Amino acid sequence: PYLTVKIASSSDGKSHYKDSERTYITSDASRNDVQILRAEHDGILTGGNTLRNDNPQMNARVNFDTNQPQKILLSNQDINEDAYEFFKNNSANIHSNQSLDEVIEFYKNSDLCSILIEAGPDLVNAFLKTGKVDEIVIYTSNKVLGDEGVDWFKEKNAIENYGFKLESSYKIGDDVKESFVNAKISELETIDESGASVVFADDSIAFLTQKNANFILETYRSLNKKNKDKFEDKLKSSSEEAIQMVNFFQERIKRDII
């Protein structure tokens, strides 16, 4: 599935206060926009800490007809479902003692084509480290939480280091909404006649000519969505796997298998 991470951040990059008290960082306009973002996804995922600290509803509260996203909870602790708003008005899938890769794999063959991840810094960073997140949406307010706030990221330029680049940025009320997309396919589209070096998740580097890049893009564009997902997973991982993957799909295209 297409994985989107949603983040609400203070201007100094914080998620919430250290005392775990629920913290409203962004404006009403941003929170209303999040409802639309939820409605655009088939599923919505959170973790046990967010459930216990915030008691969120995590449904799409919009003024138009929509199928409510399937709720997904990751928690290794027993949950009293009657105590939380999350479990009202819609069923929830609970995953315990599973790796994130196993959870993602579980939904690959489901009816969920897209999942919105709304969680705290630990779970968000864990998902980003899998290399399988496709998009990050950040709502940034002008509030400052200071030293008592919990950082979203421990390093500077973390989003870029995870392999994302800014796709759009605009104001929503007093806040800024930014969308970052995984850079690999978009990087290939910008390679000119001089070529460019592409860095992969395993730190391997491959120099691609414009002809190489166009060949990869043509292969990618000829695939259906399921195979595009496989293609992008390999493209993010290593130069060796990327080459093997392109050759594999090109051979199948020639034989009219896909």
Side-chain angles (χ1 to χ4, degrees):
Y2 189 92
L3 299 180
T4 303
V5 163
K6 175 239 133 183
I7 289 173
S9 175
S10 64
S11 63
D12 54 344
K14 310 291 185 178
S15 166
H16 59 279
Y17 285 113
K18 292 176 183 178
D19 61 10
S20 296
E21 180 182 342
R22 186 169 188 177
T23 309
Y24 288 105
I25 293 175
T26 55
S27 65
D28 289 343
S30 288
R31 293 199 290 274
N32 289 336
D33 192 74
V34 169
Q35 306 306 320
I36 298 172
L37 185 65
R38 289 175 178 173
E40 293 172 345
H41 287 76
D42 299 323
I44 182 167
L45 181 151
T46 195
N49 287 337
T50 298
L51 178 78
R52 288 182 287 273
N53 293 335
D54 294 350
N55 192 18
Q57 296 182 58
M58 287 206 175
N59 56 355
R61 299 184 291 279
V62 292
N63 58 3
F64 53 84
D65 292 335
T66 186
N67 292 323
Q68 287 295 326
Q70 172 65 52
K71 296 180 181 181
I72 303 166
L73 176 68
L74 308 188
S75 178
N76 294 330
Q77 297 184 26
D78 291 334
I79 299 292
N80 176 10
E81 297 185 16
D82 293 334
Y84 297 101
E85 295 291 328
F86 184 80
F87 297 99
K88 295 180 181 179
N89 303 320
N90 199 9
S91 63
N93 296 343
I94 302 177
H95 296 269
S96 301
N97 300 310
Q98 286 181 287
S99 70
L100 296 188
D101 285 331
E102 289 173 330
V103 172
I104 295 169
E105 187 67 28
F106 177 86
Y107 290 101
K108 271 190 174 179
N109 298 316
S110 74
D111 293 332
L112 305 187
C113 294
S114 58
I115 297 174
L116 179 65
I117 299 164
E118 289 195 55
D122 289 344
L123 187 53
V124 160
N125 279 277
F127 264 104
L128 290 171
K129 287 174 182 175
T130 68
K132 295 181 179 178
V133 171
D134 298 283
E135 184 176 357
I136 305 173
V137 177
I138 302 181
Y139 297 87
T140 303
S141 77
N142 54 19
K143 292 183 180 178
V144 176
L145 299 192
D147 293 340
E148 293 305 308
V150 176
D151 290 315
W152 273 109
F153 304 107
K154 298 193 182 303
E155 299 177 359
K156 293 182 178 180
N157 303 318
I159 292 175
E160 290 78 6
N161 292 338
Y162 278 125
F164 290 83
K165 75 171 199 174
L166 181 65
E167 182 180 63
S168 66
S169 176
Y170 56 91
K171 293 271 290 183
I172 296 183
D174 293 329
D175 302 333
V176 175
K177 178 183 179 182
E178 296 173 301
S179 175
F180 296 83
V181 296
N182 194 283
K184 284 293 177 286
I185 289 295
S186 54
E187 278 180 6
L188 297 179
E189 292 172 339
T190 61
I191 292 178
D192 58 22
E193 294 178 357
S194 59
S197 294
V198 177
V199 181
F200 295 85
D202 67 345
D203 293 328
S204 59
I205 301 174
F207 181 82
L208 298 179
T209 65
Q210 189 177 50
K211 183 178 179 180
N212 296 149
N214 288 338
F215 179 74
I216 295 173
L217 289 170
E218 286 171 9
T219 305
Y220 173 78
R221 290 165 182 156
S222 66
L223 304 177
N224 60 32
K225 187 181 187 307
K226 184 176 180 181
N227 282 322
K228 280 182 177 179
D229 289 341
K230 292 180 181 178
F231 191 101
E232 288 198 85
D233 282 345
K234 294 292 185 184
L235 193 63
K236 297 171 192 174
S237 56
S238 71
S239 56
E240 182 179 353
E241 287 200 25
I243 291 168
Q244 291 174 353
M245 172 268 306
V246 172
N247 291 337
F248 170 77
F249 279 117
Q250 274 294 320
E251 184 61 31
R252 291 172 71 87
I253 291 168
K254 288 177 186 175
R255 293 161 55 194
D256 292 327
I257 296 176
I258 53 177

